């Protein structure tokens, strides 16, 4: 389903009307058009800065430069000596940030290593980096701040400063969202400095167009060689549930784009749509209800027969059966709990016994409804919150096998599920977000592809909201 208001607000008439009536003008988001490449940031200028005492400047400069961005600096900034020293060691060139009306292309990326903050007054260095340039952030620009994970930051003042950054990026995301620009925070845990390149590339790229205001911890990952790009998932076998349409179809398509062999699964009643999606992407269809008691065995048998096992499982199938709790019949409770939640645990248990290859990665689709809660969704919200706790607690189990489990929590996404909502709540769901619009299924699919790949090797047990910084639960 398309967002007609967004389309209208970009016509000359719609633009004039929106500004006359003071209505929102949601920005057009720039999205990646192809698979992951070695240089997703090619042609873009990155303004880089650091706090005094910052710890990750050298890997950050190396990674952002290897991803294709050219580096710029603010000449007067206090943390500049660290940036210059790192650039010198890496033999990278630094240019000054151009003045506003100089005619030079503006910086599109703003990367700040805040890991040196030891006391509140020092946070002025972040203000001194962002404040002069915030007005110049272009449409679909990216702000990314890096800090030590608060849990590992040390004494209370360090912890407080690291935590303060969460408030900073959430507020900044809401300021710059009008332009389609995003602000996010990576929190580095022990060993995570070796795993920063993947998340850095993801959040700064056009693959992360609908993610803002988020905090993602990055830790140590398993030792394995990064794949040659394009083809981040070449040689991998992925199962996607609910793949006939909507978000599941986009996930199947995106994993195939990245080189994975895809088994798309959906309820037998959706076999027609499933067949169409699978023939479009060269995948294999499996018409099977996720709640079937033998689902894991049948999935494992199919994967084994066709490919010799599974590397990636995406639990996307889900339903809503909304009713106020006082009116909710028991079968609506049972159905939603079993499809959205119980089946995921059963299928994973079965595949852990037999089906998963070593290093398998699981991605579960949660919802911001499980974080913020909506009236009429006690059943749905319970399942989507449960998935978040499940991913956290299964992380250690998956890590022992060299794999990982993470969750993606979509906000309002333009699919058949949201098209069925009444007009009022639908419009509120879209506009009450920093980016002022609903996301597209591909926005969720890009995050799933990231979590399925080597690039997310340092991330396990986490939930990432892909919601345009929706105000619900934010
Ligand atoms: N669309 C949104 O805004 C949004 C927001 C948050 C979370 N989500 C979640 O994203 C996922 C996909 O949502 P969508 O909007 O694409 O929904 P959708 O209704 O368009 O698609 C869901 C798919 O799951 C399949 N399915 C349902 N029950 C099944 C079963 N028992 N066995 C196998 N397949 C089954 C359906 O046939 C369908 O193809 C769901 O888990 C949903 O809760 C969606």
């Amino acid at each position: 389903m398309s967002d007609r208001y967004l389309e209208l607000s970009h016509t000359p008439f719609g633009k004039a009307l929106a500004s006359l009536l003071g209505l929102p003008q949601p920005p057009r988001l720039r999205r990646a058009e192809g698979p992951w490449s070695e240089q997703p940031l090619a042609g873009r200028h990155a303004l880089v800065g650091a706090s005094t005492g910052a710890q990750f400047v050298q890997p950050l400069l190396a990674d952002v430069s290897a991803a294709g961005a050219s580096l710029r600096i603010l000449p007067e900034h206090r943390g500049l000596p660290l940036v210059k020293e790192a650039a010198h060691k890496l033999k990278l060139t630094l240019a000054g940030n151009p003045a506003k009306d100089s005619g030079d292309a503006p910086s599109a990326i703003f990367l700040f290593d805040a890991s040196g903050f030891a006391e509140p007054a020092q946070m002025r260095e972040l203000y001194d980096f962002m404040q002069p340039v915030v007005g110049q952030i272009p449409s679909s620009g990216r702000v990314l701040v890096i800090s030590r994970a608060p849990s590992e930051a040390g004494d209370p003042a360090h912890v407080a400063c690291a935590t303060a950054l969460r408030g900073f990026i959430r507020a900044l995301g809401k300021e710059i969202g009008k332009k389609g620009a995003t602000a996010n925070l990576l929190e580095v845990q022990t060993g995570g400095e070796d795993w920063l390149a993947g998340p850095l590339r993801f959040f700064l790229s056009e693959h992360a167009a609908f993610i803002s205001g988020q905090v993602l911890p990055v830790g140590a990952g398993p030792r394995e060689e990064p794949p040659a790009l394009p083809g981040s998932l070449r040689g991998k076998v992925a199962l996607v549930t609910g793949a006939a349409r909507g978000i599941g179809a986009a996930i199947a398509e995106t994993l195939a784009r990245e080189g994975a062999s895809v088994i798309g699964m959906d309820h037998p009643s959706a076999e027609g749509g499933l067949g169409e999606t699978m023939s479009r992407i060269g995948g294999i269809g499996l018409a099977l209800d996720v709640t079937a008691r033998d689902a894991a065995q049948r999935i494992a048998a199919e994967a084994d027969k066709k490919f010799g096992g599974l590397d990636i499982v995406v639990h996307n199938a889900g339903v809503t059966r909304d009713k106020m709790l006082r009116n909710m019949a028991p079968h609506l409770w049972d159905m939603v709990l079993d499809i959205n939640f119980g089946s995921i645990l059963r299928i994973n248990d079965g595949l852990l016994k037999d089906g998963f290859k070593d290093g398998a990665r699981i991605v579960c689709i949660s919802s911001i409804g499980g974080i913020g809660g909506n009236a009429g969704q006690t059943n749905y919200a319970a399942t989507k919150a449960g998935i978040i706790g499940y991913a956290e607690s299964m992380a250690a189990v998956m890590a022992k096998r060299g794999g990982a489990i993470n969750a993606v929590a979509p906000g309002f996404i333009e699919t058949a599920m949201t098209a069925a909502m009444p007009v009022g709540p639908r419009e509120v769901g879209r506009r009450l977000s920093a980016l002022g619009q609903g996301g597209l299924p591909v926005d969720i699919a890009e995050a799933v592809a990231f979590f399925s790949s080597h690039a997310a090797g340092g991330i396990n047990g986490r939930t990432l909201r892909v919601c345009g910084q929706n105000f619900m639960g934010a």
Side-chain angles (χ1 to χ4, degrees), residues 241-248 265-270 288-291 315-320 339-340 365-369 380 384 409-418 444:
T241 69
R245 66 178 198 191
I247 293 172
M265 172 167 151
D266 210 302
H267 194 271
S269 63
L288 177 60
D289 186 334
V290 289
T291 65
H315 293 286
N316 161 80
V319 294
T320 49
I339 294 175
N340 294 8
I365 305 299
S366 173
S367 168
I368 60 166
Y380 183 77
K384 296 300 184 179
F412 183 103
I413 305 297
E414 304 286 352
T415 67
M417 187 181 265
T418 45
I444 306 306

Side-chain angles (χ1 to χ4, degrees), residues 425-455:
R426 188 164 70 218
E427 207 40 29
V428 169
R430 279 178 176 141
R431 304 296 161 225
L432 280 188
S433 63
L435 297 176
Q437 59 198 286
L440 301 181
V442 70
D443 296 324
I444 306 306
E446 292 283 9
V448 170
F450 166 64
F451 277 140
S452 303
S453 74
H454 175 272

Side-chain angles (χ1 to χ4, degrees), residues 387-396 404-407 459-463:
I387 284 172
I388 294 172
Y390 173 69
E392 265 172 40
S393 90
M394 281 292 286
I405 176 169
N406 291 289
I459 302 167
N460 192 7
R462 306 297 171 187
T463 296

Side-chain angles (χ1 to χ4, degrees), residues 296-383:
Q297 292 71 32
R298 290 176 60 189
I299 292 166
E302 185 74 10
D304 191 41
K305 185 169 75 189
K306 301 277 172 30
F307 306 107
L310 273 175
D311 299 287
I312 299 162
V313 170
V314 184
H315 293 286
N316 161 80
V319 294
T320 49
R321 289 295 183 273
D322 299 353
K323 282 274 177 217
M324 291 299 180
L325 185 57
R326 62 178 172 271
N327 300 324
M328 190 182 291
H331 72 276
L332 297 183
W333 176 270
D334 291 343
M335 177 188 189
V336 172
L337 267 281
D338 204 26
I339 294 175
N340 294 8
F341 193 27
S343 70
I344 297 178
L345 276 61
R346 270 196 310 275
I347 290 174
N348 287 344
D349 282 350
L351 292 176
L352 281 165
K353 284 189 197 109
D354 179 25
F356 279 134
K357 292 190 202 161
D358 285 346
R361 303 187 74 85
I362 302 174
V363 187
C364 303
I365 305 299
S366 173
S367 168
I368 60 166
I371 298 168
N374 287 317
Q377 289 197 319
T378 48
N379 50 0
Y380 183 77
T383 66

Side-chain angles (χ1 to χ4, degrees), residues 173-206:
K174 288 179 182 169
E175 276 190 34
I176 64 177
K178 288 187 245 348
K179 295 177 171 177
T182 67
N184 292 290
L185 173 65
L186 297 178
E187 295 184 340
V188 185
Q189 299 172 314
T190 305
E193 53 275 18
D194 297 335
W195 285 90
L196 274 175
L200 190 84
R201 283 164 170 253
F202 177 61
F203 280 99
L204 294 179
S205 76
E206 293 176 351

